[in-house]
Amino acid sequence: MNQIPTRPTFDEFDELNNPRPEETDFARLAARAVSRRAFLGGTVVVGASALVMGTTALTPLRAFAAGRLGFEQVAANGLDTVTVPLGYRWQVALSWGDPLWSTSMPFDDSTRGTGASQELAVGDNNDGMAMFAHEGRTILAVNNEYVNIGVIHGNREGGKPSGADDVRKSKAGHGVTVAELARSGDGWHIVVDSPFNRRITADTPMEMTGPARGDDRLKTAADPSGTRALGTVNNCGNGRTPWGTYLTCEENFNGYFSASDEKQIIADAWKRYGIGAKDWGYAWATVDERFDISKHPNEPNRFGYIVEINPLDPTSTPKKRTALGRFKHENAELVLSADGRTVVYMGDDERGEFIYRFVSDGRYVEGADNADLLENGRLYVAKFNDNGRGDWLELTPDSTGMGSQAEICIHTRLAASKVGATTMDRPEWVSANPRKAEVYCCLTNNSRRATDAKNAGGDAMVPGGPNPRAKNNYGQIVRWTPDGGDHLAVGFGWDLFATAGNPTVHSDAYAGSDNVNASNMFNSPDGLAFDGNGLLWIQTDGNYSDAKDFAGQGNNQMLVGDPATGEIKRFLVGPRESEITGITWSPDRSTLFVGVQHPGEKGGSHFPGGGASVPRSSVIAITRTDGGKIG
Ligand code: FEO
Ligand code: CA
Ligand code: CA
């Protein structure tokens, strides 16, 4: 029952370590009573709890006009390959373990690499990414979120790390890969030995900046100043700035820490972030004691930030931006306000956590020195009201009762709980419409939402507002429009762009919204990005069993949505046991780069090599056969 499967996904691991409360009869009743119609046609009241949808969410979507989605939809499938529409083709641009320098070792299926080879090669589990054009060169910065323990240590007993070199390899598999890419007859490939190539890992020196810089909570034995950290981990989604830097976002940083003291008391601030005595199988603390919270209790306070990197200078020091808060950062969507301030929207991906907004004190001026715009500003958290309205609540010592802005920037989840923010269904990527002041966020799922459920901070997770369904295993996409069309506004209106579901299994709210049907259905929207045409690309990280509640949905996939009409079409299906995450374009928009993460995470894929090869996370390049632009 409560046994950890031999190769659990991290979601499964989390679920087993933090089991959800028993579902109540009331929750079941509510789930049944919220009819599918409620999403698009009316308001439903269940018992004492009024499930009132945002007013704009009740507006039926317009019939799909002659679509802007000009491709033939791909059918859901369970193939161990990538499927794209007719008229498109794909190739692997780079994979985990590919050499960046001529001194690197080629990837070796039998050893799956060593510490030394991994430090000179593409990291594992590529996630968020961005392409930078520079003097005719094309430079990709791509996150390496985590390592697939069972794969990279698949040559070891039980698929577990064994000894110091395995830990060295694991740490080097994390972080960010910067690689110059070039296109030749056979497609996109890494420019080996490019002066731009760089590996940033769990051991790369970083600078702490912003309100928490130098705070006592950031001081450790190795860094008594609290200003110099080592490494970045669990780099999930990304962002980019108008001044040409890359933002990498630290998500599940808690999984690397453990306690050597069997009697270690786990402080509330640790519990809120899931930091405990047991790590997630990486075993880093067995080799590097800074991941042992019994010995270095402040080390976890130095992770959970957004890190700014100059992708064009391999000697630059990455900067951890504490002003943007510490939580399980998904991505960072940066827009400019009407008066030129940088506004960064961010999700905190955990059941019942929040959506945040950062507003810089300074203004962006093209051509000026904007390098430290993310160093100081105001931090807000979102409150969504049931009536389709919402507000940004500023996090200050006054509003939270906390001692300083530094404390707020370190214990951001605790601060947000104090002001009454809305607990969300796992906020993943945020993306802003380039054609109007409108922002979308994937709420991937929340198996534990229920009338009597609480998040890790004790905040209620009652179904309602933008999180309307109890035991939400499908997810939804919320969008909001700032008042007056200015991203500085305190107030906003919101609605749901789509609620995922399965209309072949359910006829109630779990069937999904009207723009979800048997031919385009999906679960667990996660990655999200607008293209230059104002179309919304949606990537999934969900249940790929293709059975029961998920029957007919196949492998994880990528879809395209039209914000104006609500139309959604499936563009791509990934290989077995993969997640589709990370998206960027070549400078001329002729190539769409997409991430295929953790194929075969349970042992059921050999992507991309086929045969008996080791599965490898990869970035694929998609082009049109007629050479035209994509997005
Ligand atoms: Fe790394 Fe929330 O996904
Ligand atoms: Ca994600
Ligand atoms: Ca996810």
Side-chain angles (χ1 to χ4, degrees), residues 317-585:
T317 302
K319 295 183 174 179
K320 296 205 175 192
R321 297 302 191 186
T322 70
L324 282 70
R326 175 172 166 266
F327 42 91
K328 295 187 179 179
H329 279 286
E330 183 70 19
N331 81 326
E333 178 71 340
L334 192 153
V335 294
L336 295 177
S337 66
D339 71 355
R341 275 183 277 186
T342 57
V343 177
V344 187
Y345 292 106
M346 305 169 282
D348 181 356
D349 179 10
E350 189 138 16
R351 285 171 283 249
E353 292 298 338
F354 309 122
I355 294 174
Y356 295 85
R357 178 183 78 165
F358 167 84
V359 178
S360 67
D361 288 342
R363 292 172 171 78
Y364 171 71
V365 179
E366 196 171 347
D369 179 6
N370 298 291
D372 288 321
L373 275 180
L374 301 183
E375 190 152 347
N376 291 295
R378 296 164 185 262
L379 190 59
Y380 302 79
V381 66
K383 180 171 173 54
F384 290 80
N385 301 315
D386 284 351
N387 63 357
R389 295 279 311 156
D391 293 294
W392 292 104
L393 311 176
E394 189 176 354
L395 301 175
T396 65
D398 270 356
S399 72
T400 62
M402 291 169 87
S404 65
Q405 199 63 27
E407 185 180 359
I408 290 167
C409 290
I410 295 168
H411 296 316
T412 308
R413 285 184 167 181
L414 281 68
S417 283
K418 290 180 189 292
V419 300
T422 301
T423 61
M424 308 299 285
D425 286 345
R426 294 187 54 198
E428 299 253 24
W429 290 50
V430 186
S431 188
N433 190 333
R435 301 199 165 182
K436 61 196 286 201
E438 181 181 68
V439 188
Y440 290 63
C441 179
C442 285
L443 303 171
T444 195
N445 55 51
N446 184 352
S447 56
R448 284 189 234 161
R449 186 164 292 277
T451 50
D452 57 353
K454 292 183 172 20
N455 71 1
D459 307 311
M461 292 201 296
V462 178
N467 311 282
R469 293 175 294 186
K471 198 173 180 184
N472 173 19
N473 287 324
Y474 290 123
Q476 64 269 14
I477 300 174
V478 64
R479 63 181 167 190
W480 61 89
T481 301
D483 289 350
D486 188 353
H487 290 285
L488 282 190
V490 167
F492 58 86
W494 66 266
D495 70 356
L496 295 178
F497 172 68
T499 53
N502 192 330
T504 70
V505 175
H506 300 284
S507 55
D508 57 10
Y510 299 88
S513 48
D514 271 3
N515 50 349
V516 169
N517 54 56
S519 66
N520 73 356
M521 62 181 175
F522 59 97
N523 74 85
S524 306
D526 184 330
L528 196 65
F530 273 96
D531 67 17
N533 298 324
L535 294 175
L536 185 63
W537 295 73
I538 304 162
Q539 304 176 317
T540 73
D541 169 23
N543 186 306
Y544 43 70
S545 64
D546 206 17
K548 298 183 181 169
D549 267 1
F550 310 99
Q553 300 191 340
N555 295 344
N556 276 308
Q557 51 185 285
M558 181 167 73
L559 310 102
V560 191
D562 184 340
T565 65
E567 183 182 15
I568 296 172
K569 281 170 79 171
R570 185 183 299 112
F571 180 86
L572 175 150
V573 178
R576 288 181 195 146
E577 300 173 8
S578 71
E579 159 185 354
I580 301 303
T581 185
I583 182 167
T584 191
W585 283 263

Side-chain angles (χ1 to χ4, degrees), residues 7 112 134 239 242 270 286 292 300 409 432 457 462 465 498 506 509 521 560 564:
R7 195 179 287 179
R112 298 148 196 244
H134 177 68
W270 278 345
T286 63
D292 180 346
C409 290
V462 178
H506 300 284
M521 62 181 175
V560 191

Side-chain angles (χ1 to χ4, degrees), residues 55-369:
T55 47
T56 39
L58 306 180
T59 309
L61 293 159
R62 279 196 280 127
F64 303 140
R68 289 206 295 145
L69 312 182
F71 59 88
E72 196 174 317
Q73 176 162 272
V74 168
N77 66 63
L79 302 172
D80 194 25
T81 188
V82 173
T83 316
V84 293
L86 280 174
Y88 294 81
R89 63 181 159 219
W90 65 273
Q91 50 117 168
V92 174
L94 54 97
S95 295
W96 160 52
D98 278 352
L100 294 169
W101 292 278
S102 47
T103 50
S104 316
M105 297 286 290
F107 183 77
D108 181 339
D109 265 53
S110 61
T111 64
R112 298 148 196 244
T114 62
S117 73
Q118 185 60 74
E119 285 165 359
L120 301 175
V122 175
D124 196 5
N125 271 331
N126 47 270
D127 202 313
M129 58 182 158
M131 192 69 85
F132 296 85
H134 177 68
E135 296 177 345
R137 304 174 101 152
T138 308
I139 294 142
L140 179 73
V142 56
N143 291 344
N144 299 114
E145 188 180 29
Y146 61 98
V147 295
N148 292 302
I149 295 168
V151 176
I152 83 158
H153 304 305
N155 54 325
R156 301 292 190 212
E157 179 80 27
K160 292 178 179 163
S162 169
D165 195 64
D166 279 358
V167 169
R168 179 180 168 192
K169 175 167 79 167
S170 174
K171 287 165 83 183
H174 283 71
V176 178
T177 298
V178 182
E180 182 177 351
L181 302 187
R183 195 174 186 177
S184 60
D186 57 353
W188 289 91
H189 57 87
I190 293 171
V191 178
V192 172
D193 291 330
S194 162
F196 296 99
N197 292 354
R198 181 181 191 185
R199 278 307 322 280
I200 292 167
T201 72
D203 289 311
T204 303
M206 313 249 150
E207 185 181 347
M208 305 300 305
T209 77
R213 176 184 167 87
D215 187 86
D216 282 350
R217 299 170 191 85
L218 297 189
K219 294 176 180 170
T220 64
D223 173 27
S225 71
T227 63
R228 307 281 300 173
L230 273 188
T232 183
V233 297
N234 219 273
N235 305 78
C236 183
N238 73 291
R240 66 190 305 163
T241 68
W243 51 95
T245 57
Y246 180 72
L247 304 177
T248 184
C249 307
E250 297 178 337
E251 192 188 19
N252 294 306
F253 62 91
N254 54 314
Y256 304 90
F257 293 93
S258 58
S260 56
D261 179 353
E262 286 174 10
K263 296 192 180 126
Q264 180 68 51
I265 293 166
I266 305 299
D268 285 349
W270 278 345
K271 283 186 191 156
R272 183 63 188 274
Y273 288 90
I275 295 157
K278 188 171 158 46
D279 87 353
W280 288 8
Y282 300 108
W284 289 7
T286 63
V287 172
D288 184 347
E289 69 170 42
R290 75 189 163 101
F291 293 97
D292 180 346
I293 56 173
S294 301
K295 293 179 179 154
H296 301 285
N298 281 346
E299 189 67 20
N301 292 338
R302 292 142 66 89
F303 292 90
Y305 298 103
I306 284 176
V307 186
E308 185 171 6
I309 295 167
N310 181 353
L312 303 183
D313 180 2
T315 66
S316 60
T317 302
K319 295 183 174 179
K320 296 205 175 192
R321 297 302 191 186
T322 70
L324 282 70
R326 175 172 166 266
F327 42 91
K328 295 187 179 179
H329 279 286
E330 183 70 19
N331 81 326
E333 178 71 340
L334 192 153
V335 294
L336 295 177
S337 66
D339 71 355
R341 275 183 277 186
T342 57
V343 177
V344 187
Y345 292 106
M346 305 169 282
D348 181 356
D349 179 10
E350 189 138 16
R351 285 171 283 249
E353 292 298 338
F354 309 122
I355 294 174
Y356 295 85
R357 178 183 78 165
F358 167 84
V359 178
S360 67
D361 288 342
R363 292 172 171 78
Y364 171 71
V365 179
E366 196 171 347
D369 179 6

